[in-house]
Amino acid sequence: MDLRDEHPNLGEWNRIIEASLADPDSEPILNLDRDTDPLYDAVFVGGGAGGRFGAAYMKAMGGRPLIIDAWPFLGGSCPHQACVPHHLFSEAAEELDRMRWFSEELFFPKFDPSRASILDLVKLFLAGRGSAHAFMNWQTKEQLDVEFLLNARATIVDRTTVTAAGRTFRAKNLVLGMGARPVWPDIPGLDLPGVLDWVSLVEELDYEPQRCVIIGGSKVAMEYGAFFNATGCQTTIVSRSPLMRTRSLHHVDEDLRHYVVDGMRKRGMTIIEGAHPVRVNGGRDGRVASVTVRLETGEEVDLATDFVFMGTGERPTVDQARDALGIDVLDTGRVVVNKRMQTSVPGVYAIGDMIDGPMEMFKARKSGVTAARTIMGEDIEFDYSEYPDFLHTTYEVTWVGLSEAEAREQFSDVVIIQMPPTVKGLDTPNLPLPCAEGTMLYAFSKPELSGFQKLVVDGDSRRVVGAHHVGYGAKDAFQYLDHLIHRPEGLTVDQLGWMNELFLNPEHFVQLSRLRAGSSDLRDL
Ligand code: COM
């Protein structure tokens, strides 16, 4: 299907994409300039967030990129199976939480658990996901003017040659952005129906689970687990390490961790830490019926369930590229790159989930852009070792910089500005502050659910070195706080306290800092 001279609108794109997804033999979608045998500045293999942003940036700089993707849409797993459904489910979890807590209070109706359904929300997502796909294709073609070949799997021949849809494409550079897929450990029984992960959940779920055992303690495990539980599906997380103490998360403050994990338990989730899944057992109907787990004590228990969700991490789709190119790859499957996203093979770059670091959107997009700018001759490096992080339970949880414990290892005078404060006898469950969850309805009706926040300051330099927040609406502030505190000159408590806060905002660091900033000798608050 050659669309170079066509200009499908969003509805037309939606139909083209849906038809392509429905038919395994559907034809490739071509948006290619007419010249014969062009030499591209780069072929982006994979048009996910990294490839799409990298190609768009290269085009904007005057280069000639081509994106090839096996899916009939751009944007990759984000709109299809990953971030977008995750955010839909997390938002639903938060709404369900509120409906339950406020059932028959004020203007809230009686909560009807029979209407809270994982399957309904999966169907809602499937019915709507095409609009994001359509927009990615429309924007990339009509507004960003990037050439692409979709619904065609690329085969890497060598570092300047890729084939797809029966054609050969030549490029000065290759940018590998083929993403990552969930990996499952080697446990007997994982092939049973009813064992799903974040990919197969949206593609395959066809019944309403009543009970769920989650294997793994990753962010995905916590986020999806909180959603399942909020729908009324009795959820148990089985994790080797304590939640939020996994290697993939850094700078997690212990008080924040407690607030989050205690909150999950308070909402009825079972969290078994230090435990190893031994096997998954089937029932008479052929579907999963229980999971045998070895507890920290060595005892083995059977957890009855009709749904197992795997939250054990992801691995890059790297085999074909490694075999064809000989690029260096770590044991984890991540491609080795320098700060310019250059692999061990000249002219070959890797981006997004293919490389080390968090599998998050900012890294995907910025690594794609870094590759593009490097190819276009700019002297640019991207260091993704420090970044603001977040996850959702039924709370939104956001953090950046050092935890209190990390700060105490580095600085002799650490000052903590925190809400609720840790003051003996204060009776903090009745303190409606920081009124960060939702916000005022909780503050007045359920003060104990009002969130948590902590600012970590180096008392000597007066610099903010960490910020931690549990509660709705902090993510926006944290992307700016991240920039401010990681500048060479940093951000002092005095500068923070002199900002113009929009009263009432969900995080109160500006006003709390101002209350202390007048003192030459900072104290905790
Ligand atoms: C977001 C996908 S859903 S992309 O980063 O805009 O390509």
Side-chain angles (χ1 to χ4, degrees), residues 471-507:
Y472 175 75
K475 274 200 301 236
D476 281 349
F478 273 66
Q479 57 200 5
Y480 304 115
L481 267 179
D482 167 55
H483 170 74
L484 292 171
I485 72 175
H486 287 123
R487 292 174 307 164
E489 67 271 35
L491 173 73
T492 64
V493 73
D494 310 277
Q495 291 164 330
L496 184 57
W498 197 240
M499 287 183 185
N500 298 328
E501 78 272 40
L502 297 177
F503 192 77
L504 230 169
N505 56 335
E507 50 91 11

Side-chain angles (χ1 to χ4, degrees), residues 289-363:
S290 69
V291 180
T292 306
V293 169
R294 188 175 316 116
L295 304 177
E296 214 167 10
T297 56
E299 183 196 353
E300 285 195 5
V301 294
D302 272 351
L303 306 173
T305 191
D306 60 353
F307 172 33
V308 172
F309 184 80
M310 303 302 294
T312 41
E314 288 78 27
R315 196 179 169 89
T317 315
V318 74
D319 294 357
Q320 203 267 317
R322 185 193 47 210
D323 295 348
L325 299 167
I327 44 175
D328 288 348
V329 174
L330 301 170
D331 287 347
T332 53
R334 311 270 192 132
V335 179
V336 178
V337 289
N338 61 17
K339 287 185 176 162
R340 298 170 201 272
M341 309 305 124
Q342 292 163 316
T343 69
S344 56
V345 174
V348 178
Y349 296 72
I351 59 173
D353 294 347
M354 308 274 303
I355 60 176
D356 229 343
M359 290 188 178
E360 292 290 359
M361 183 56 79
F362 82 91
K363 194 197 79 186

